[in-house]
Coordinates of all heavy atoms in Angstrom, one line a residue:
V978 N 129.3 -24.4 153.1 CA 129.1 -23.6 154.3 C 130.5 -23.5 155.0 O 131.0 -24.5 155.4 CB 128.1 -24.2 155.2 CG1 127.9 -23.3 156.5 CG2 126.7 -24.4 154.5
D979 N 131.0 -22.3 155.0 CA 132.4 -22.2 155.6 C 132.3 -22.1 157.1 O 131.2 -22.2 157.7 CB 133.1 -20.9 155.0 CG 132.3 -19.6 155.3 OD1 131.5 -19.6 156.2 OD2 132.6 -18.6 154.7
D980 N 133.5 -21.9 157.7 CA 133.6 -21.9 159.2 C 132.8 -20.7 159.8 O 132.5 -20.8 161.0 CB 135.1 -21.8 159.6 CG 135.8 -23.1 159.2 OD1 135.1 -24.2 159.0 OD2 137.0 -23.1 159.1
D981 N 132.6 -19.7 159.0 CA 131.8 -18.5 159.6 C 130.3 -18.7 159.3 O 129.6 -17.7 159.6 CB 132.3 -17.2 158.9 CG 133.8 -16.9 159.3 OD1 134.2 -17.3 160.4 OD2 134.5 -16.4 158.5
G982 N 129.9 -19.8 158.8 CA 128.5 -20.0 158.6 C 128.0 -19.4 157.3 O 126.7 -19.4 157.2
V983 N 128.8 -19.0 156.4 CA 128.4 -18.3 155.2 C 128.0 -19.4 154.2 O 128.9 -20.3 153.9 CB 129.4 -17.4 154.7 CG1 129.0 -16.8 153.3 CG2 129.7 -16.3 155.7
I984 N 126.8 -19.3 153.6 CA 126.3 -20.3 152.7 C 126.6 -19.7 151.3 O 126.3 -18.6 151.0 CB 124.8 -20.6 152.8 CG1 124.5 -21.1 154.2 CG2 124.4 -21.6 151.8 CD1 123.1 -21.2 154.5
S985 N 127.3 -20.5 150.5 CA 127.6 -20.0 149.1 C 127.5 -21.2 148.1 O 127.5 -22.4 148.5 CB 129.1 -19.5 149.1 OG 130.0 -20.6 149.4
M986 N 127.3 -20.8 146.9 CA 127.3 -21.7 145.7 C 128.5 -21.4 144.9 O 128.8 -20.2 144.6 CB 126.0 -21.5 144.9 CG 124.7 -21.8 145.7 SD 123.2 -21.5 144.7 CE 123.3 -19.7 144.6
N987 N 129.3 -22.4 144.6 CA 130.5 -22.3 143.9 C 130.5 -23.0 142.6 O 130.1 -24.2 142.5 CB 131.7 -22.8 144.8 CG 131.7 -22.1 146.2 OD1 132.4 -21.1 146.3 ND2 131.0 -22.7 147.1
F988 N 131.1 -22.3 141.6 CA 131.1 -22.9 140.3 C 132.5 -22.6 139.7 O 133.0 -21.5 139.7 CB 130.0 -22.4 139.4 CG 129.9 -23.1 138.0 CD1 129.6 -24.4 137.9 CD2 130.2 -22.4 136.9 CE1 129.6 -25.1 136.7 CE2 130.1 -23.0 135.6 CZ 129.8 -24.4 135.6
A989 N 133.1 -23.6 139.1 CA 134.4 -23.5 138.5 C 134.4 -23.9 137.0 O 133.6 -24.8 136.7 CB 135.4 -24.3 139.3
C990 N 135.1 -23.2 136.2 CA 135.2 -23.5 134.8 C 136.7 -23.3 134.4 O 137.3 -22.3 134.6 CB 134.3 -22.5 134.0 SG 134.3 -22.8 132.2
S991 N 137.2 -24.4 133.8 CA 138.6 -24.4 133.4 C 138.9 -23.9 132.0 O 140.0 -23.5 131.7 CB 139.2 -25.8 133.6 OG 138.5 -26.7 132.7
N992 N 137.9 -23.8 131.1 CA 138.1 -23.4 129.8 C 137.7 -22.0 129.5 O 136.9 -21.8 128.6 CB 137.5 -24.4 128.8 CG 136.0 -24.6 129.1 OD1 135.5 -24.2 130.1 ND2 135.3 -25.2 128.2
L993 N 138.1 -21.1 130.3 CA 137.7 -19.7 130.2 C 138.5 -19.1 129.0 O 139.6 -19.5 128.7 CB 138.0 -18.9 131.5 CG 137.2 -19.3 132.7 CD1 137.6 -18.4 133.9 CD2 135.7 -19.2 132.5
T994 N 137.9 -18.0 128.5 CA 138.5 -17.1 127.5 C 138.7 -15.8 128.1 O 138.1 -15.5 129.1 CB 137.7 -17.1 126.2 OG1 136.4 -16.4 126.5 CG2 137.4 -18.4 125.6
P995 N 139.5 -14.9 127.5 CA 139.6 -13.5 128.1 C 138.3 -12.8 128.2 O 138.2 -11.9 129.1 CB 140.6 -12.9 127.1 CG 141.4 -14.0 126.5 CD 140.4 -15.1 126.4
D996 N 137.3 -13.1 127.4 CA 136.0 -12.4 127.5 C 135.0 -13.1 128.3 O 133.9 -12.7 128.4 CB 135.5 -12.2 126.0 CG 136.5 -11.4 125.2 OD1 137.1 -10.5 125.8 OD2 136.6 -11.6 124.0
S997 N 135.3 -14.2 128.9 CA 134.3 -15.0 129.6 C 133.9 -14.3 130.9 O 134.7 -13.6 131.5 CB 134.9 -16.4 130.0 OG 135.2 -17.1 128.8
K998 N 132.6 -14.5 131.1 CA 132.0 -13.9 132.4 C 131.1 -15.0 133.0 O 130.5 -15.8 132.3 CB 131.2 -12.7 132.0 CG 131.9 -11.5 131.5 CD 131.0 -10.4 131.2 CE 131.7 -9.2 130.6 NZ 130.8 -8.1 130.3
F999 N 131.1 -15.0 134.3 CA 130.2 -15.9 135.0 C 128.9 -15.1 135.2 O 128.9 -14.0 135.8 CB 130.8 -16.3 136.4 CG 131.9 -17.2 136.3 CD1 133.2 -16.8 136.1 CD2 131.7 -18.6 136.4 CE1 134.3 -17.6 136.1 CE2 132.8 -19.5 136.3 CZ 134.1 -19.0 136.2
V1000 N 127.8 -15.7 134.8 CA 126.5 -15.1 134.9 C 125.6 -16.0 135.8 O 125.3 -17.1 135.4 CB 125.8 -14.9 133.5 CG1 124.4 -14.3 133.7 CG2 126.7 -14.0 132.6
W1001 N 125.2 -15.4 136.9 CA 124.4 -16.2 137.9 C 122.9 -15.8 137.7 O 122.6 -14.6 137.5 CB 124.8 -15.9 139.3 CG 126.1 -16.5 139.7 CD1 127.3 -16.1 139.6 CD2 126.2 -17.8 140.3 NE1 128.3 -17.0 140.1 CE2 127.6 -18.1 140.5 CE3 125.3 -18.8 140.7 CZ2 128.1 -19.2 141.1 CZ3 125.8 -20.0 141.3 CH2 127.2 -20.2 141.5
S1002 N 122.0 -16.8 137.8 CA 120.6 -16.5 137.6 C 119.8 -17.3 138.6 O 120.3 -18.2 139.2 CB 120.2 -17.0 136.2 OG 120.9 -16.4 135.1
K1003 N 118.6 -16.7 138.9 CA 117.7 -17.4 139.8 C 116.4 -17.6 138.9 O 115.9 -16.7 138.4 CB 117.4 -16.5 141.0 CG 116.3 -17.2 141.9 CD 116.0 -16.3 143.1 CE 115.0 -17.0 144.0 NZ 114.6 -16.2 145.1
N1004 N 116.0 -18.9 138.9 CA 114.9 -19.3 138.1 C 115.1 -18.9 136.7 O 114.2 -18.4 136.0 CB 113.6 -18.8 138.6 CG 113.2 -19.3 140.0 OD1 113.6 -20.4 140.3 ND2 112.5 -18.6 140.8
Y1005 N 116.4 -18.9 136.2 CA 116.9 -18.6 134.9 C 116.6 -17.2 134.5 O 116.4 -16.9 133.3 CB 116.3 -19.6 133.9 CG 116.7 -21.0 134.2 CD1 115.9 -21.9 134.9 CD2 118.0 -21.4 133.8 CE1 116.3 -23.2 135.2 CE2 118.4 -22.7 134.1 CZ 117.6 -23.6 134.8 OH 118.0 -24.9 135.1
E1006 N 116.6 -16.3 135.5 CA 116.6 -14.8 135.2 C 117.8 -14.3 135.9 O 118.1 -14.5 137.1 CB 115.3 -14.2 135.8 CG 114.1 -14.6 135.0 CD 112.8 -13.9 135.5 OE1 113.0 -13.0 136.4 OE2 111.7 -14.2 135.1
E1007 N 118.6 -13.5 135.2 CA 119.9 -13.0 135.7 C 119.7 -12.2 137.0 O 118.8 -11.4 137.1 CB 120.6 -12.2 134.6 CG 122.0 -11.7 135.1 CD 122.7 -11.0 134.0 OE1 122.2 -10.9 132.8 OE2 123.8 -10.4 134.3
I1008 N 120.6 -12.5 137.9 CA 120.6 -11.8 139.2 C 121.3 -10.5 139.0 O 122.5 -10.4 138.8 CB 121.2 -12.6 140.3 CG1 120.5 -14.0 140.5 CG2 121.2 -11.9 141.6 CD1 121.1 -14.9 141.4
T1009 N 120.5 -9.4 139.1 CA 121.1 -8.0 139.0 C 121.1 -7.3 140.3 O 121.8 -6.3 140.5 CB 120.4 -7.2 138.0 OG1 119.0 -7.2 138.3 CG2 120.5 -7.9 136.6
D1010 N 120.3 -7.8 141.3 CA 120.2 -7.1 142.6 C 121.1 -7.9 143.6 O 120.9 -9.1 143.7 CB 118.8 -7.0 143.0 CG 118.6 -6.3 144.3 OD1 119.6 -5.7 144.8 OD2 117.5 -6.2 144.8
D1011 N 122.0 -7.2 144.2 CA 122.9 -7.9 145.1 C 122.4 -7.8 146.6 O 123.2 -8.0 147.5 CB 124.3 -7.3 145.0 CG 124.3 -5.8 145.3 OD1 123.3 -5.2 145.5 OD2 125.4 -5.2 145.3
T1012 N 121.2 -7.4 146.8 CA 120.7 -7.3 148.2 C 120.6 -8.7 148.8 O 120.8 -8.8 150.0 CB 119.3 -6.6 148.2 OG1 118.4 -7.4 147.3 CG2 119.4 -5.2 147.7
R1013 N 120.3 -9.7 148.0 CA 120.1 -11.1 148.6 C 121.3 -12.0 148.3 O 121.6 -12.9 149.1 CB 118.8 -11.7 148.2 CG 117.6 -10.9 148.5 CD 116.4 -11.8 148.6 NE 116.6 -12.7 149.7 CZ 116.3 -12.4 151.0 NH1 115.9 -11.2 151.3 NH2 116.5 -13.3 151.9
I1014 N 122.0 -11.8 147.2 CA 123.1 -12.6 146.8 C 124.2 -11.7 146.3 O 124.0 -10.8 145.5 CB 122.7 -13.6 145.7 CG1 121.7 -14.7 146.3 CG2 123.9 -14.3 145.1 CD1 121.3 -15.8 145.3
S1015 N 125.4 -12.0 146.8 CA 126.6 -11.3 146.4 C 127.5 -12.3 145.6 O 127.7 -13.4 146.0 CB 127.4 -10.8 147.6 OG 126.6 -9.9 148.4
V1016 N 127.9 -11.8 144.5 CA 128.7 -12.7 143.5 C 130.1 -12.2 143.5 O 130.4 -10.9 143.4 CB 128.1 -12.6 142.1 CG1 128.9 -13.5 141.2 CG2 126.7 -13.2 142.2
A1017 N 131.1 -13.1 143.7 CA 132.5 -12.7 143.6 C 133.2 -13.7 142.7 O 133.0 -14.9 142.8 CB 133.1 -12.7 145.0
T1018 N 133.9 -13.2 141.8 CA 134.6 -14.1 140.8 C 136.1 -13.8 140.9 O 136.6 -12.7 140.9 CB 134.1 -13.8 139.4 OG1 132.7 -14.0 139.3 CG2 134.8 -14.7 138.4
S1019 N 136.8 -14.9 140.9 CA 138.3 -14.8 141.0 C 138.8 -15.9 140.1 O 138.7 -17.1 140.4 CB 138.8 -15.0 142.4 OG 140.2 -15.0 142.5
G1020 N 139.5 -15.5 139.0 CA 140.1 -16.5 138.1 C 139.1 -17.4 137.5 O 138.1 -16.9 136.9
E1021 N 139.2 -18.7 137.7 CA 138.3 -19.7 137.1 C 137.2 -20.1 138.0 O 136.4 -21.0 137.7 CB 139.1 -20.9 136.7 CG 140.2 -20.7 135.7 CD 140.9 -22.0 135.4 OE1 140.8 -23.0 136.1 OE2 141.7 -22.0 134.4
K1022 N 137.0 -19.4 139.1 CA 136.0 -19.7 140.1 C 135.1 -18.5 140.3 O 135.5 -17.4 140.4 CB 136.6 -20.2 141.4 CG 137.4 -21.5 141.2 CD 138.0 -21.9 142.6 CE 138.8 -23.2 142.5 NZ 139.4 -23.6 143.8
S1023 N 133.8 -18.8 140.6 CA 132.8 -17.8 140.9 C 132.0 -18.3 142.1 O 131.7 -19.5 142.1 CB 131.9 -17.5 139.7 OG 131.0 -16.5 140.0
K1024 N 131.8 -17.4 143.0 CA 131.0 -17.7 144.2 C 129.8 -16.8 144.4 O 130.0 -15.6 144.3 CB 131.9 -17.6 145.4 CG 131.2 -17.9 146.8 CD 132.1 -17.6 148.0 CE 133.2 -18.7 148.1 NZ 134.0 -18.6 149.3
A1025 N 128.7 -17.4 144.6 CA 127.5 -16.7 144.9 C 127.1 -16.9 146.3 O 126.8 -18.0 146.7 CB 126.3 -17.1 143.9

Side-chain angles (χ1 to χ4, degrees):
V978 181
D979 62 15
D980 292 339
D981 295 327
V983 177
I984 303 174
S985 62
M986 298 176 292
N987 302 269
F988 186 65
C990 181
S991 59
N992 53 348
L993 296 178
T994 64
D996 299 326
S997 294
K998 296 179 181 178
F999 289 86
V1000 180
W1001 286 89
S1002 303
K1003 179 181 180 183
N1004 296 332
Y1005 297 99
E1006 294 183 2
E1007 185 176 354
I1008 300 173
T1009 57
D1010 186 6
D1011 59 356
T1012 56
R1013 302 208 62 83
I1014 289 185
S1015 300
V1016 178
T1018 301
S1019 177
E1021 297 179 348
K1022 296 181 180 179
S1023 182
K1024 175 185 290 188

